[in-house]
Amino acid sequence: MSAQDRATDALYGLGWGVVKKLPEPVAVRLGRGIADLAWKQRGKGVRRLESNYARVVPGAGPERLAELSRAGMRSYLRYWMESFRLPAWSPERVEGGFVPEDLHHLTEGLAAGKGVILALPHMANWDLAGAWVTTKLRTPFTTVAERLKPETLYDRFVAYREGLGMEVLPHSGGTAFGTLARRLRDGGLVCLVAERDLSSSGVEVQFFGEATRIPAGPALLAQQTGAVLLPVTLWYDDSPVMRGRVHPPVEVPESGTRAEKTSVMAQALADAFATGIADHPEDWHMLQRLWLKDLDPARSPDGGTA
């Protein structure tokens, strides 16, 4: 393991070991302070966040984008402070920490016994939403995690999420899809963060007027298993409680090839994500390149440096 990898692993270990012991008001102030410092330094992640927000809020000038990126960094650090502290939260704190709208889409889907897929973008705190599902609804679920480097950091994330009641499968290795399909056929719940493609098999969609790719997995799983596919968006307000919305089901088209059906469903998923992100752009934590134009350095306005 390189020195940088050891430092990264130690930093996250410090977060889970120390931040969770802090009083909540102290952790909130710490997160905000770190966010403001990172924002003032205008590193690569902050510049990329502003570039992404420029698509979400067309016509926003430099001042507005700067305001959004500052709020976005504060939201992002709130996510991390909450995540470091979640293992120490009481069941009552978890249950009171999230209020979703239109939950009936999820509860009715589970009651039907055909399995449910929840698909989310990187908004607010998806780990808190997951902990709420396992605690408040007493419903276990299966998810997929990107294999991080170093391996010890990946192991930390798996242990953290398993401690919140999730079954975690590695994104790589080729066996995740089959396991997810089995869980759904058994009437189970699968949760996937799904607006950024981490493979070479993503589906091209229009997202805020430009082309990007999102994972095909949610649409393919729904087609193959008959499970209900539900988009979910999350956001923060000025309270300690996170908000969310379960959107109406994405239906499987009645006709067309598998690829055609997948394309239609992926676009519907992207449209639902866009609705939630447009309403709460500062809670969308996308500090990486997403649109195809940006993934090609030769076509990127910043030459691929941000």
Side-chain angles (χ1 to χ4, degrees):
M1 187 189 300
S2 69
Q4 182 177 350
D5 284 348
R6 284 196 299 271
T8 299
D9 182 60
L11 185 62
Y12 282 95
L14 184 67
W16 271 300
V18 175
V19 174
K20 72 178 179 181
K21 299 176 182 177
L22 297 175
E24 190 159 347
V26 175
V28 169
R29 288 196 299 272
L30 176 63
R32 180 163 290 201
I34 294 171
D36 287 350
L37 179 61
W39 177 76
K40 288 175 183 176
Q41 291 177 339
R42 290 196 57 77
K44 187 182 294 186
V46 173
R47 298 196 307 274
R48 176 52 53 191
L49 193 61
E50 288 185 5
S51 175
N52 290 339
Y53 286 158
R55 267 69 171 244
V56 177
V57 188
E63 258 186 53
R64 174 62 176 144
L65 290 175
E67 289 173 0
L68 277 172
S69 65
R70 184 179 190 183
M73 291 303 295
R74 287 182 172 185
S75 176
Y76 185 50
L77 263 294
R78 176 173 170 174
Y79 158 74
W80 278 114
M81 292 297 111
E82 285 180 349
S83 294
F84 288 143
R85 292 174 52 76
L86 260 176
W89 281 16
S90 68
E92 294 75 20
R93 177 69 179 88
V94 172
E95 290 182 13
F98 178 45
V99 177
E101 300 173 5
D102 298 327
L103 185 64
H104 65 94
H105 293 305
L106 172 57
T107 55
E108 289 169 4
L110 291 171
K114 295 190 295 185
V116 175
I117 306 156
L118 297 180
L120 307 87
H122 289 79
M123 292 187 77
N125 192 337
W126 47 96
D127 287 326
L128 172 55
W132 186 89
V133 167
T134 61
T135 305
K136 177 73 172 179
L137 301 185
R138 302 185 187 280
T139 302
F141 66 86
T142 305
T143 189
V144 174
E146 179 184 1
R147 275 207 174 276
L148 302 170
K149 297 294 182 182
E151 191 74 16
T152 50
L153 180 57
Y154 170 77
D155 292 340
R156 284 188 191 275
F157 272 94
V158 170
Y160 157 63
R161 289 184 170 128
E162 288 180 342
L164 298 177
M166 312 176 192
E167 179 187 22
V168 183
L169 308 175
H171 182 270
S172 58
T175 60
F177 188 91
T179 303
L180 294 174
R182 286 194 296 274
R183 299 291 182 268
L184 292 168
R185 290 194 185 98
D186 290 339
L189 177 63
V190 164
C191 299
L192 301 170
V193 180
E195 95 283 28
R196 181 169 175 249
D197 182 43
L198 295 173
S199 70
S200 58
S201 58
V203 184
E204 186 168 321
V205 295
Q206 287 294 305
F207 196 53
F208 292 102
E210 292 189 37
T212 187
R213 291 190 183 94
I214 69 171
L220 290 172
L221 284 167
Q223 292 176 58
Q224 187 165 315
T225 67
V228 179
L229 174 55
L230 299 173
V232 178
T233 52
L234 308 171
W235 67 91
Y236 291 126
D237 57 18
D238 294 329
S239 77
V241 178
M242 183 177 72
R243 310 288 172 174
R245 179 188 175 201
V246 183
H247 295 252
V250 172
E251 304 290 350
V252 178
E254 294 183 2
S255 61
T257 65
R258 186 171 71 166
E260 289 168 343
K261 291 179 180 180
T262 302
S263 178
V264 170
M265 295 173 72
Q267 186 62 61
L269 203 57
D271 291 343
F273 292 164
T275 298
I277 292 168
D279 287 342
H280 305 279
E282 67 278 4
D283 293 316
W284 185 42
H285 308 150
M286 186 50 61
L287 280 73
Q288 297 85 22
R289 296 185 183 93
L290 183 75
W291 281 273
L292 300 186
K293 186 183 293 185
D294 294 339
L295 292 169
D296 178 358
R299 299 169 64 186
S300 178
D302 56 24
T305 61

